[in-house]
Amino acid sequence: MSDTSRYIGRFAPSPTGSLHLGSLYTALASFLDAKAQQGLWLLRIDDLDTPRNTKDAAGNILTTLEAFGLQWDDEVYYQSHHISIYNDILATLQHHKLIYPCTCSRKTLTTSQSNTATEVIYPNNCRDNTFPCPTPHALRIKTDNRNIAFNDRLQGLISQQLASQHGDFILKRKDHIIAYQFAVVIDDDRQSVNHVVRGMDLLDSTAKQIYLQQRLGLNTPNYLHVPIITDEQGFKLSKQTKAQAVDLKSPTLVIFKLLHLLKQQLPVELQNASAAELLNWAITHWNPAALKPIAAIPLDD
């Protein structure tokens, strides 16, 4: 269970390619938030989605963080080393009849709702299914009518009703891969993470994770969702939109740019400072409130 006596944060990239400016931006925000409070900053490699992983990506991520002075505490945590733990907890949920096998295809679900829907709300087709299930299936958790509310340190009060806004969601995919929503909750608890700093694109997932924490009797971390960085077309910087890997040859220029995007008011005299000097200043003067109430920041801002 989580130790609430000391700030423990984390950065959890997926090894699907090298870090781009948007992912390094999030890493820097979480690093500064932890170090400004004399906390620990842990590194977790989210490598469960094996079809999307790329060769050498995990090593490149570590090299990039070190090149920019973002040194993590303790050993790197690889999700793929803990699959048996996720499965044991799924077995407990199954024993208590909180999950069920779902044989629905994605095509069936996407065609059952309006094309304007931003998220497919599961229509409970398989909710009465029982184990054992010989047909290939995913595992879904049963949601209920409770309201999930939390105070995000930047975005304020967030409230969702899972059953009506999301429906029962997947904990283990049909291809046997543990779902992000489930793994992140287990990992945060195992690493005693009590502060989560991440991008706005994950804000909508938080209610699902809090629901799982409640079901499993786990502590809920404090959350802070920073704005996403967008490209010239207004899309989030990502590997899917061909965002370029950060340039390791100019760490000072990159750190300076990222602190500007984080709306930190750098003094003029630091324009020629080293990357280490910039980080030291940023830790001392870290002010996440400067990002209120921004949802997205253009890269060329």
Side-chain angles (χ1 to χ4, degrees):
M1 300 298 290
S2 296
D3 174 13
T4 58
S5 62
R6 185 180 187 183
Y7 183 115
I8 302 177
R10 48 77 167 173
F11 176 54
S14 299
T16 54
S18 300
L19 293 181
H20 52 76
L21 204 64
S23 49
L24 191 64
Y25 164 91
T26 304
L28 178 59
S30 63
F31 175 84
L32 293 177
D33 204 61
K35 295 307 174 182
Q37 300 188 55
Q38 296 79 49
L40 297 176
W41 188 64
L42 308 181
L43 178 60
R44 177 192 309 154
I45 301 298
D46 182 357
D47 58 349
L48 291 177
D49 196 350
T50 50
R52 295 183 62 236
N53 294 344
T54 59
K55 184 180 179 182
D56 300 327
N60 288 339
I61 289 171
L62 271 61
T63 298
T64 300
L65 293 175
E66 289 178 324
F68 287 94
L70 305 185
Q71 184 58 54
W72 57 91
D73 298 295
D74 296 336
E75 295 181 358
V76 180
Y77 183 106
Y78 292 87
Q79 288 185 316
S80 58
H81 297 175
H82 306 281
I83 293 175
S84 63
I85 293 170
Y86 308 132
N87 285 324
D88 287 345
I89 297 173
L90 284 171
T92 300
L93 291 172
Q94 178 180 331
H95 175 75
H96 291 289
K97 296 181 169 46
L98 294 175
I99 60 174
Y100 58 90
C102 174
T103 58
C104 296
S105 68
R106 181 176 298 180
K107 182 178 180 181
T108 298
L109 295 177
T110 53
T111 57
S112 68
Q113 296 192 17
S114 166
N115 291 332
T116 61
T118 56
E119 178 182 356
V120 174
I121 300 173
Y122 186 65
N124 294 339
N125 294 356
C126 297
R127 215 174 203 241
D128 294 329
N129 284 0
T130 57
F131 296 96
C133 179
T135 306
H137 58 272
L139 297 178
R140 289 185 183 270
I141 188 164
K142 296 178 180 178
T143 55
D144 55 32
N145 291 325
R146 75 182 71 183
N147 189 65
I148 303 293
F150 66 99
N151 270 300
D152 185 274
R153 286 171 53 202
L154 268 184
Q155 311 307 326
L157 180 64
I158 306 295
S159 179
Q160 290 185 352
Q161 208 287 322
L162 285 185
S164 62
Q165 292 181 251
H166 299 281
D168 299 348
F169 55 95
I170 290 175
L171 302 189
K172 189 176 185 179
R173 297 176 356 193
K174 195 177 291 187
D175 59 4
H176 307 295
I177 291 177
I178 302 295
Y180 164 77
Q181 308 291 1
F182 183 55
V184 70
V185 167
I186 304 305
D187 297 331
D188 282 345
D189 181 70
R190 284 177 53 79
Q191 293 189 281
S192 297
V193 170
N194 50 30
H195 287 76
V196 173
V197 177
R198 58 189 182 188
M200 274 285 291
D201 53 317
L202 291 172
L203 180 65
D204 203 43
S205 298
T206 308
K208 297 178 183 178
Q209 293 162 26
I210 293 175
Y211 177 75
L212 287 172
Q213 291 157 3
Q214 292 176 356
R215 279 299 197 183
L216 294 168
L218 308 180
N219 292 333
T220 294
N222 293 300
Y223 290 100
L224 188 159
H225 289 82
V226 298
I228 59 171
I229 303 299
T230 55
D231 61 18
E232 293 177 354
Q233 287 73 43
F235 295 111
K236 175 199 169 190
L237 285 185
S238 68
K239 301 177 185 75
Q240 288 73 28
T241 56
K242 310 301 181 184
Q244 297 297 308
V246 292
D247 184 2
L248 303 187
K249 298 177 182 178
S250 305
T252 300
L253 293 177
V254 173
I255 293 292
F256 193 91
K257 172 68 172 177
L258 290 174
L259 290 175
H260 173 73
L261 291 171
L262 285 167
K263 306 301 181 184
Q264 304 303 293
Q265 300 299 314
L266 285 160
V268 176
E269 57 266 25
L270 284 180
Q271 286 184 346
N272 297 317
S274 66
E277 290 171 328
L278 289 174
L279 285 178
N280 288 335
W281 180 92
I283 290 170
T284 303
H285 298 87
W286 172 237
N287 178 28
L291 292 165
K292 287 183 178 180
I294 309 167
I297 299 175
L299 181 59
D300 57 0
D301 188 42

